[in-house]
Amino acid sequence: MPKTMVLFCLIWLLAGCSYLSVKHLASNPLRLDKQEELNMRYWNFVYVNEKENDHYLLRGIAFPRQENLPEWGRWIHNLSIAAYLSDDQGVVLAQDIKAHPTQRLDPEDGIPVEFRLEPKRMPESRDVFVTFGYRMQLTEDGFQDPDKKHTPAGDTRVFFASEGALLR
């Protein structure tokens, strides 16, 4: 058997054993039709979960935690927010990720979020949990490119924050 075929089989076997985990993140038990709140390091999530046919619909608002963010951070760039359903071991059963445009940081109104979560299977124990993930960059200016280290005026400040599922 050629080396490339052996390597492919090994990678395929390892990929079959891996899974996404959110065990390290704060989570709430899955409850339906009830307002919930989940506080994470840089964002607080206020949401309601509803069951619709074969999926769950999670709607809410994500509020930035100003006390944990730099004072100079006024604009959010490259923001993506994810919602996850997991079992009691933190294994992800369903996820949905939404990208958001560059926008001014608004701790009063937050950012509306909506996720459609379709688990392929539910655990026999029925212990299911909700958590969130996010990835973002903060800058002082909405026109600043957070990926550039320097501007003609000098150094730029960029704050990066991320919490999310890990591949195990």
Side-chain angles (χ1 to χ4, degrees):
M1 190 180 321
K3 289 180 186 179
T4 55
M5 182 62 95
V6 171
L7 183 60
F8 174 76
C9 289
L10 182 59
I11 291 171
W12 184 77
L13 180 64
L14 290 174
C17 298
S18 63
Y19 60 92
L20 285 177
S21 174
V22 291
K23 189 173 186 169
H24 61 289
L25 298 176
S27 64
N28 283 337
L30 174 65
R31 293 191 186 99
L32 298 177
D33 304 318
K34 180 179 176 189
Q35 184 170 303
E36 300 280 337
E37 185 173 341
L38 183 62
N39 299 322
M40 300 188 77
R41 185 163 185 183
Y42 296 108
W43 290 89
N44 291 338
F45 296 89
V46 176
Y47 64 94
V48 173
N49 223 331
E50 300 170 356
K51 178 89 167 108
E52 290 193 358
N53 300 320
D54 63 341
H55 66 276
Y56 295 91
L57 187 60
L58 187 150
R59 291 185 181 116
I61 300 176
F63 293 97
R65 294 186 64 184
Q66 277 303 125
E67 71 274 14
N68 293 340
L69 297 171
E71 281 185 26
W72 51 262
R74 299 283 179 252
W75 287 85
I76 307 170
H77 302 266
N78 303 316
L79 174 65
S80 61
I81 300 176
Y84 304 99
L85 290 182
S86 66
D87 65 15
D88 59 352
Q89 298 300 308
V91 176
V92 173
L93 304 169
Q95 69 175 338
D96 190 10
I97 301 170
K98 303 288 172 131
H100 297 268
T102 295
Q103 57 193 287
R104 183 174 267 295
L105 187 66
D106 186 349
E108 298 292 319
D109 292 333
I111 296 175
V113 293
E114 182 172 312
F115 301 98
R116 181 184 170 109
L117 300 163
E118 298 181 60
K120 292 184 172 94
R121 63 170 183 78
M122 292 297 276
E124 290 179 22
S125 69
R126 292 287 183 204
D127 290 335
V128 178
F129 297 87
V130 174
T131 192
F132 296 91
Y134 53 86
R135 182 178 177 89
M136 68 173 188
Q137 294 170 305
L138 286 180
T139 64
E140 295 176 79
D141 189 310
F143 297 104
Q144 182 177 335
D145 182 351
D147 297 324
K148 288 190 177 177
K149 301 286 184 223
H150 302 283
T151 65
D155 291 338
T156 60
R157 295 191 286 189
V158 177
F159 177 81
F160 174 78
S162 177
E163 286 188 280
L166 298 175
L167 188 61
R168 304 255 178 188

